[in-house]
């Protein structure tokens, strides 16, 4: 979503390294299938559907079934390593999985890349409104669809 060069191999390596470290610290296993699903999700900054993951895993593990992928996705989500993009029914890697956070996902409808933002002020204001309503939150995620800065500047769109 930015115009600066991006070293995606480093991005993937950093994500896997973080996942390995967190799993060791939490005394949970990053099994080969979980690791592969995480690697596949991090191949781009675009959301990936579960059945697309299965299509990539099948050649490596013929016995892989949809449940195999969904169990891996559930584990990765429970560890905060990925996020589900509800509006797309797909998954994206989390770039701040080492800390508890709420998510604001900016989803580009042109290039399909997703940027995760902390947006502390927005989330604080939202939490304040929710608290005033007496609403008990079980999960908070905000997804905003639009056009990223890279696509806006390359196509001459205005926000």
């Amino acid at each position: 979503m930015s115009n600066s060069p991006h070293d995606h191999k480093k991005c993937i390596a950093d994500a896997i390294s973080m996942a390995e470290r967190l799993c060791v610290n939490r005394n949970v296993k990053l099994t080969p299938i979980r690791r592969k699903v995480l690697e596949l999700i991090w191949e781009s900054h675009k959301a990936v559907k579960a059945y697309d993951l299965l299509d990539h895993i099948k050649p490596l593990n013929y016995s892989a079934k949809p449940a195999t992928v969904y169990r891996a996705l559930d584990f990765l989500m429970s560890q905060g390593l990925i996020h589900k993009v509800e509006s797309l029914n797909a998954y994206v890697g989390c770039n701040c999985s080492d800390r508890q956070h709420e998510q604001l996902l900016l989803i580009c409808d042109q290039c399909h890349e997703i940027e995760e933002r902390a947006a502390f002020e927005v989330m604080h204001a939202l939490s304040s409104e929710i608290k005033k309503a007496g609403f008990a939150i079980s999960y908070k995620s905000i997804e905003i669809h639009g056009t990223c800065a890279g696509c806006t500047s390359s196509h001459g769109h205005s926000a």
Side-chain angles (χ1 to χ4, degrees):
M1 283 191 149
S2 69
N3 293 329
S4 61
H6 179 66
D7 181 355
H8 206 66
K9 286 187 191 300
K10 181 179 179 339
C11 189
I12 294 169
D14 289 350
I16 297 301
S17 176
M18 172 70 74
E20 289 170 341
R21 204 165 48 252
L22 290 174
C23 287
V24 166
N25 291 344
R26 296 170 181 170
N27 200 27
V28 295
K29 289 204 181 292
L30 186 63
T31 62
I33 192 79
R34 292 169 176 172
R35 180 189 174 104
K36 186 62 183 172
V37 168
L38 185 61
E39 287 173 356
L40 290 168
I41 288 172
W42 272 99
E43 280 186 352
S44 77
H45 292 289
K46 298 176 183 179
V48 182
K49 294 190 176 283
Y51 277 87
D52 293 335
L53 293 167
L54 182 61
D55 289 344
H56 284 90
I57 288 172
K58 273 263 191 216
L60 309 170
N61 179 351
Y62 295 110
S63 64
K65 306 259 185 279
T68 308
V69 171
Y70 282 110
R71 278 193 302 272
L73 290 168
D74 287 345
F75 170 83
L76 295 170
M77 281 192 306
S78 74
Q79 296 302 313
L81 299 170
I82 63 171
H83 295 300
K84 183 169 186 184
V85 183
E86 298 288 345
S87 62
L88 302 176
N89 194 25
Y91 303 84
V92 67
C94 174
N95 60 13
C96 48
S97 54
D98 59 335
R99 60 191 179 277
Q100 187 70 21
H101 65 284
E102 299 163 324
Q103 62 194 33
L104 170 63
L105 301 176
L106 303 179
I107 304 163
C108 182
D109 294 325
Q110 305 254 332
C111 70
H112 307 289
E113 288 205 3
I114 298 173
E115 182 179 353
E116 181 178 4
R117 306 286 300 206
F120 297 112
E121 297 86 7
V122 171
M123 293 307 199
H124 180 72
L126 187 59
S127 292
S128 178
E129 284 299 315
I130 291 167
K131 188 175 182 180
K132 285 179 195 173
F135 189 79
I137 301 171
S138 58
Y139 174 73
K140 181 172 27 170
S141 171
I142 300 172
E143 299 178 14
I144 299 176
H145 286 259
T147 307
C148 72
C151 289
T152 299
S153 64
S154 68
H155 293 93
H157 291 121
S158 60

